[in-house]
Amino acid sequence: MPSKGAHIAAQRPSYLRDLAQGLERFFEPRRKDCPWCSCRDLRRRLHTTDLIQRKPGTFTLEQCHGCGHVFQNPRLSTQGLEFYYRDCYDGLNERAMDRLASSRIFRKLYRSRARALVPFGRPSRWLDVGTGHGHFCAEARSIHPTTQFHGLDRGEGVEIAARTGRISHAYQGAFTELSDQLAGRYDVVSMHHYLEHTTDPRRELAAAHTALRPGGHLLIEVPDPQCLSARLLGRWWVPWLQPQHLIPPGNLRRALEQHDFTIQAVDRRAPHVPTDLVAAALNLLNSALPGEDLPWLPAAPGPTSRLTRALACLIAAPLLLVLFGLDTLLAPLARRTRLSNAYRVVARRN
């Protein structure tokens, strides 16, 4: 992989050409009804920017007063999805995401996800949708040593996962387009923090039903838009990162039942990721400081901006460590209350 500076220099012309055409094409027309229940009573929940990558554009999330579904409106177009997710998990941020996914917190979370299927037998073949670089599959193999783990993702990370041996087979593309060729092949399909980033979650559930054998299990983990953390932290809550949908637990349960699944287990404790405070602080810090060198900016920042950013990060480091400690300390309480920021569902294909 080229150095960060070389990658930025190589990608800047492409990004600037995209931006010269305007941002309008990155968004579809605004919906007047809820994509989940068709109710027309919509209320704005949040107006924000890209706090993680600082790409240009603003995003509005609306909430349906009828069913509680939260969705980006207007949602990203196909071109918008490509633009805003480019360099988020691969390319520029590949090393950072690799370090995060390899951290102790996430390795523990991956094992928890794998253990959620233990009560339902030992699967022979498991498809992880939205697998990224395959870190979950690599960790899950310690819980299910005889299982073949396959991965599917739109990005190039899935090919990296196959080359590094984290998965035994890679599919690159859209799950909804590939599901017919995967029909009935899998004992388990998993979607970890994937469903909320799709344009049509119901089609993804239908694709999972197709890929599973009868009696197979679907494992889903998503952020909970009804949690107190989302309300208390507002726009700084990390799961607002360019989602298409944030699905309340009741809505997901009903949708699974409509797609011929039977709910086997729901867990609000183990999926909690104890990083709300420190991640929100990082979002706030990143939005307040001068930008670093990024390929979607016309030019690299000057020496004064770079020095200001470096000094501010140095000063903020002790506070971030304190917040990380608080997240860890409060995790047992958060998992037992409405502060828990995610939930997990295991469902069986009938």
Side-chain angles (χ1 to χ4, degrees):
M1 181 181 175
S3 69
K4 184 176 180 179
H7 180 86
I8 291 171
Q11 292 298 314
R12 180 167 277 131
S14 175
Y15 272 107
L16 296 183
R17 283 195 300 269
D18 282 337
L19 291 171
Q21 299 177 56
L23 300 179
E24 295 79 9
R25 64 196 181 96
F26 294 151
F27 297 88
E28 295 183 352
R30 180 185 175 275
R31 289 187 64 119
K32 296 182 179 180
D33 63 342
C34 172
W36 202 262
C37 73
S38 300
C39 174
R40 298 177 71 88
D41 188 0
L42 305 178
R43 302 178 183 182
R44 192 170 85 170
R45 173 76 182 264
L46 195 71
H47 191 70
T48 189
T49 56
D50 182 351
L51 298 173
I52 305 295
Q53 298 191 92
R54 299 183 69 167
K55 289 182 177 179
T58 57
F59 312 93
T60 298
L61 283 91
E62 297 190 352
Q63 185 163 13
C64 173
H65 188 61
C67 71
H69 189 70
V70 180
F71 66 103
Q72 188 173 304
N73 197 19
R75 72 180 184 179
L76 295 177
S77 64
T78 301
Q79 291 173 310
L81 284 168
E82 191 282 328
F83 178 80
Y84 285 104
Y85 283 103
R86 191 194 317 167
D87 279 310
C88 186
Y89 300 102
D90 299 316
L92 183 62
N93 286 310
E94 181 180 322
R95 289 192 178 97
M97 294 304 299
D98 189 70
R99 288 194 298 270
L100 183 65
S102 303
S103 67
R104 185 181 64 85
I105 288 177
F106 281 89
R107 290 179 62 195
K108 183 179 179 180
L109 181 61
Y110 298 153
R111 290 193 296 272
S112 168
R113 292 169 179 171
R115 281 193 289 268
L117 267 294
V118 170
F120 308 104
R122 297 290 182 177
S124 174
R125 190 176 291 169
W126 184 317
L127 176 66
D128 187 41
V129 180
T131 196
H133 292 183
H135 290 89
F136 161 74
C137 295
E139 199 67 31
R141 196 173 288 120
S142 65
I143 309 297
H144 301 276
T146 61
T147 300
Q148 291 185 43
F149 285 93
H150 296 179
L152 185 151
D153 210 315
R154 287 178 177 270
E156 297 176 358
V158 68
E159 300 294 343
I160 296 173
R163 289 198 299 270
T164 56
R166 295 180 185 131
I167 58 175
S168 56
H169 192 80
Y171 300 97
Q172 186 174 357
F175 187 34
T176 53
E177 296 172 5
L178 295 172
S179 60
D180 284 345
Q181 73 183 64
L182 306 177
R185 295 189 61 190
Y186 290 96
D187 303 299
V188 175
V189 169
S190 57
M191 300 173 171
H192 303 127
H193 291 265
Y194 162 83
L195 201 61
E196 66 268 25
H197 298 295
T198 62
T199 56
D200 190 342
R202 291 181 183 275
R203 286 188 65 205
E204 302 290 336
L205 298 181
H209 187 277
T210 299
L212 283 166
R213 63 167 179 79
H217 289 86
L218 174 60
L219 173 63
I220 295 176
E221 192 170 297
V222 287
D224 184 359
Q226 296 179 333
C227 76
L228 286 177
S229 299
R231 298 187 180 278
L232 292 173
L233 296 173
R235 69 186 292 249
W236 310 113
W237 191 52
V238 164
W240 297 131
L241 162 68
Q242 273 66 264
Q244 297 300 302
H245 305 268
L246 283 171
I247 309 167
N251 286 14
L252 183 56
R253 290 179 65 122
R254 287 188 289 272
L256 285 167
E257 291 165 356
Q258 291 166 3
H259 282 82
D260 199 31
F261 286 96
T262 297
I263 305 299
Q264 301 286 282
V266 178
D267 187 356
R268 302 183 65 94
R269 294 187 177 186
H272 174 72
V273 184
T275 57
D276 277 335
L277 295 176
V278 70
L282 283 168
N283 272 347
L284 179 59
L285 184 66
N286 194 41
S287 68
L289 293 179
E292 55 186 327
D293 190 13
L294 297 168
W296 41 91
L297 298 179
T304 302
S305 294
R306 294 198 301 270
L307 180 61
T308 301
R309 184 178 181 89
L311 289 175
C313 290
L314 187 64
I315 293 169
L319 175 60
L320 294 174
L321 286 173
V322 169
L323 291 175
F324 178 75
L326 277 175
D327 276 325
T328 305
L329 187 65
L330 293 173
L333 173 65
R335 290 190 172 99
R336 289 168 171 78
T337 65
R338 296 296 299 174
L339 287 168
S340 179
N341 56 25
Y343 65 96
R344 180 185 299 155
V345 177
V346 179
R348 186 189 72 242
R349 179 191 164 177
N350 295 327

